[in-house]
Amino acid sequence: MVKIRLKVVDIEDVELKRLGKEPNIFTRIFVLISYQRKDGDFLTRRAILDTGAIVSILPASIWKQLDIDVIGYHSIKGIVKKESCLLPVKICLVKNKLIDEFGNETKIFKSLIYCASSNDVPVIFGIKDGLDKFKLNLDIKQKDAWLIN
């Protein structure tokens, strides 16, 4: 069994604070992911752990460095459903592993990941071939979170 510690962080929304609106503090959960590059080494990035994201997503600046297997093409949309807000993506299989600051790491596993055509997206660790491989233990009040497999 491997336990990967997650980072639970409070983030201030500067626009809400500027407007004097409460609450202006939101909680984010982050995970460290190492993606296998074309040369076999790994590229590590901090990803938003998103239980509402069906699939993980990578911006172009990251996935273009990786050893990916493109299996299709798609367009995705988020909360705004307008055609003008569609984001073209490559549907890819990517080898990756989770790590944490204590030296814990998972075995390498393949994930289905949407590779965005631009850098206008954050690195997101979603459900398909990602979170669905782990048990999530989360205590937001205590800022304590783990992924266990």
Side-chain angles (χ1 to χ4, degrees):
M1 175 176 70
V2 177
K3 289 175 70 174
I4 301 296
R5 185 163 198 75
L6 306 174
K7 194 155 193 101
V8 182
V9 179
D10 286 334
I11 298 174
E12 183 176 69
D13 185 305
V14 287
E15 185 60 20
L16 287 177
K17 184 178 181 181
R18 185 185 70 76
L19 295 171
K21 301 294 181 185
E22 295 287 334
N24 59 21
I25 303 293
F26 299 93
T27 302
R28 275 278 155 117
I29 304 163
F30 295 99
V31 61
L32 289 174
I33 307 178
S34 289
Y35 303 98
Q36 192 164 27
R37 296 185 339 191
K38 294 173 183 174
D39 64 7
D41 284 342
F42 284 86
L43 174 71
T44 302
R45 290 293 181 263
R46 183 175 83 161
I48 298 167
L49 187 140
D50 189 343
T51 61
I54 297 168
V55 177
S56 299
I57 191 163
L58 287 172
S61 62
I62 294 175
W63 69 257
K64 287 183 177 181
Q65 301 177 58
L66 306 180
D67 180 20
I68 63 169
D69 182 15
V70 179
I71 61 172
Y73 299 88
H74 187 41
S75 291
I76 59 172
K77 54 188 170 233
I79 201 164
V80 179
K81 304 296 184 196
K82 291 189 220 173
E83 286 289 320
S84 62
C85 295
L86 289 176
L87 177 67
V89 296
K90 293 180 179 185
I91 305 168
C92 300
L93 293 174
V94 180
K95 289 180 184 173
N96 56 102
K97 61 184 176 180
L98 304 186
I99 63 172
D100 68 18
E101 58 203 30
F102 301 104
N104 301 311
E105 66 180 56
T106 65
K107 292 180 181 176
I108 297 169
F109 60 95
K110 274 190 179 180
S111 292
L112 182 83
I113 296 179
Y114 287 163
C115 295
S117 58
S118 73
N119 290 320
D120 296 333
V121 297
V123 179
I124 293 177
F125 185 64
I127 295 174
K128 178 66 179 156
D129 294 336
L131 278 170
D132 61 0
K133 294 182 178 293
F134 301 91
K135 175 182 177 182
L136 172 61
N137 285 352
L138 175 61
D139 183 340
I140 291 179
K141 280 189 172 189
Q142 296 298 318
K143 304 285 188 260
D144 188 37
W146 299 86
L147 286 175
I148 301 167
N149 75 341

